[in-house]
C-alpha cells in the first residue's frame, strides 16, 4: 500500500512550467518585448505565439530543466517553489549522518548526477529566492550537478548560470549582513554511492504533515493553479514573494536593500503607459476626484523587469537599485499631478 502511494507521488511530476499570460512582456506589449525564454531553452521547446498565447511550450521537447523560468524577468513562467523550499527547511536541523550525507546543512542535486538526497530535474530550477531563503534559515546549501556538458536535460553552462543566481541572491542578502552559505560543485563517486531510504514509520509520519510538504526523495512538481488576477496579492510571482520573505534577519533601517525598481522624473507627461505595461501591476494610477492623478509603486510586487523604463514615451523613468526597508512597507508615491493625460 505504501509503495503504491509513493509511486503515485513519483508520477506527479509536471515538467511544464506554468505560463501566466498577464505577466508576460509580450502580452503587455512592452516596447522591445522579451524573448528570454525562447532564446535560453536548449531544446527549442519554447515558441513565441500570438497575443493570448505568447509563450507556447512543446511538451514533447520540454525536459523541465527550468532554465526558461530562471531567466524570465517577470515570473510569467514559473514552477512551484514549495517542494524545494520545504526540503531545504526540513534538512536544516538534521545532522549529516542522519540524512545520509556528508554535507552540513542542506543539499539539492540534479537527477542526472545520480547523487543521493533530494533531487531536482536540473539545477536550472534553482532561483535567487531559494538561495536567499537558505541564507535566512542560516542553512549551508550545497548544489550538486552532474556532467552538464553531456546532459540531455539542461545545458552545458548550467553551473555558470547557477553561479549568477547565487550572486543575485547574495546581493539581496547583503542588507541583512548575513550572506547565504552556498557551494556549487560536481557530483562525486561518494555522492552517487549514498542511498536515502524512507522508513515505514518515517513515511507515515511525513504523511501527516501539511499537504505542501513533500515526502518523496525526488521533489515532485504539482501543477500550479491559474492565477486569480482579481486578487492583487496573487499578481506577484511566488519568486518575488519569497525574495521579500528571505530578508531575514530584518535589515537595519539605514541599510540599502538591492531591489531594482523604477523612479519617475519631471519629464513625466502623466500618460498611462507605465501602468499598462507593468506585468504585476506594481505600478498603479490613482485618479483623483479633482481630475489629478497619483502614480504609485508597490515595491515588493516589482520584479525589476523595467518594462516601464523601456516603454516610457518621454523617457521619464530611471532605475534605482537600492531602497531603504521602509519603502517595502507602504506604496511609494512616484508622482502626483493635478492633470491627467
Amino acid at each position: 500500500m505504501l509503495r503504491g502511494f509513493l509511486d503515485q507521488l513519483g508520477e506527479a511530476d509536471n515538467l511544464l512550467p506554468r505560463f501566466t499570460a498577464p505577466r508576460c512582456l509580450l502580452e503587455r506589449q512592452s516596447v522591445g518585448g522579451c524573448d528570454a525564454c525562447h532564446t535560453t531553452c536548449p531544446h527549442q521547446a519554447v515558441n513565441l505565439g500570438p497575443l493570448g498565447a505568447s509563450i507556447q511550450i512543446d511538451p514533447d521537447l520540454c525536459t523541465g530543466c527550468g532554465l526558461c523560468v530562471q531567466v524570465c524577468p517577470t515570473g510569467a513562467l514559473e514552477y512551484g517553489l514549495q517542494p524545494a523550499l520545504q526540503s531545504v527547511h526540513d534538512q536544516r536541523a538534521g545532522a549529516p549522518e542522519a540524512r545520509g550525507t556528508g554535507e552540513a546543512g542542506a543539499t539539492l542535486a540534479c537527477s542526472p548526477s545520480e547523487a543521493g538526497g533530494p533531487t531536482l530535474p536540473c539545477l536550472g530550477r534553482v532561483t535567487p529566492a531559494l538561495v536567499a531563503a537558505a541564507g535566512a534559515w542560516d542553512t549551508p546549501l550545497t548544489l550538486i550537478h552532474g556532467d552538464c556538458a553531456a546532459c540531455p536535460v539542461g545545458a552545458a553552462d548550467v553551473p555558470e548560470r547557477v553561479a549568477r543566481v547565487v550572486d543575485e541572491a547574495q546581493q539581496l542578502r547583503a542588507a541583512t549582513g548575513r550572506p547565504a552559505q552556498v557551494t556549487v560543485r560536481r557530483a562525486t563517486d561518494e555522492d552517487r554511492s549514498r542511498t536515502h531510504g524512507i522508513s515505514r514509520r518515517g513515511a507515515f509520519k511525513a504523511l501527516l504533515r501539511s499537504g505542501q510538504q513533500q515526502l518523496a526523495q525526488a521533489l515532485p512538481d504539482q501543477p500550479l493553479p491559474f492565477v486569480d488576477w482579481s486578487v492583487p496579492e496573487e499578481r506577484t510571482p511566488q519568486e518575488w514573494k519569497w525574495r521579500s520573505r528571505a530578508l531575514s534577519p530584518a535589515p537595519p533601517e539605514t541599510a540599502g536593500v538591492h531591489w531594482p525598481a523604477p523612479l519617475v522624473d519631471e519629464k513625466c507627461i502623466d500618460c498611462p503607459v507605465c501602468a499598462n505595461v507593468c506585468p504585476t501591476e506594481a505600478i498603479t494610477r490613482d485618479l483623483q476626484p479633482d481630475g489629478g492623478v497619483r502614480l504609485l509603486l508597490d515595491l515588493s510586487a516589482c520584479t525589476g523587469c523595467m518594462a516601464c523604463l523601456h516603454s516610457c514615451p518621454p523617457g521619464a523613468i530611471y532605475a534605482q537599485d537600492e531602497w531603504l526597508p521602509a519603502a517595502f512597507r507602504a506604496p511609494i508615491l512616484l508622482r502626483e499631478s493635478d492633470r491627467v493625460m
Side-chain angles (χ1 to χ4, degrees), residues 203-234:
F204 278 114
K205 182 178 179 181
L207 287 175
L208 297 177
R209 295 179 178 178
S210 161
Q212 291 181 318
Q213 295 183 346
Q214 300 298 327
L215 172 64
Q217 172 180 315
L219 303 177
D221 292 318
Q222 300 295 331
L224 290 173
F226 288 108
V227 174
D228 183 353
W229 211 249
S230 67
V231 181
E233 291 78 8
E234 290 195 19

Side-chain angles (χ1 to χ4, degrees), residues 192-336:
R192 288 184 279 270
S193 69
R194 299 188 186 111
T195 59
H196 290 251
I198 302 175
S199 70
R200 189 180 187 86
R201 179 178 179 183
F204 278 114
K205 182 178 179 181
L207 287 175
L208 297 177
R209 295 179 178 178
S210 161
Q212 291 181 318
Q213 295 183 346
Q214 300 298 327
L215 172 64
Q217 172 180 315
L219 303 177
D221 292 318
Q222 300 295 331
L224 290 173
F226 288 108
V227 174
D228 183 353
W229 211 249
S230 67
V231 181
E233 291 78 8
E234 290 195 19
R235 298 171 192 166
T236 304
Q238 286 294 313
E239 169 69 19
W240 276 267
K241 288 181 179 179
W242 274 100
R243 290 189 192 191
S244 180
R245 292 169 184 165
L247 285 171
S248 176
E253 288 300 310
T254 56
V257 177
H258 185 78
W259 196 284
L263 282 175
V264 176
D265 65 26
E266 67 282 353
K267 294 191 294 293
C268 178
I269 58 175
D270 302 305
C271 76
V273 169
C274 57
N276 290 345
V277 302
C278 182
T280 58
E281 299 188 1
I283 296 179
T284 55
R285 296 172 81 239
D286 186 7
L287 299 178
Q288 303 299 298
D290 61 1
V293 63
R294 301 172 80 237
L295 195 63
L296 302 171
L297 171 68
D298 179 353
L299 185 61
S300 61
C302 178
T303 68
C305 69
M306 296 303 160
C308 53
L309 184 154
H310 300 304
S311 303
C312 180
I317 295 178
Y318 61 99
Q320 177 166 299
D321 289 338
E322 290 193 348
W323 302 79
L324 296 178
F328 291 86
R329 296 196 283 266
I332 297 169
L333 180 63
L334 295 176
R335 178 173 170 82
E336 187 168 23

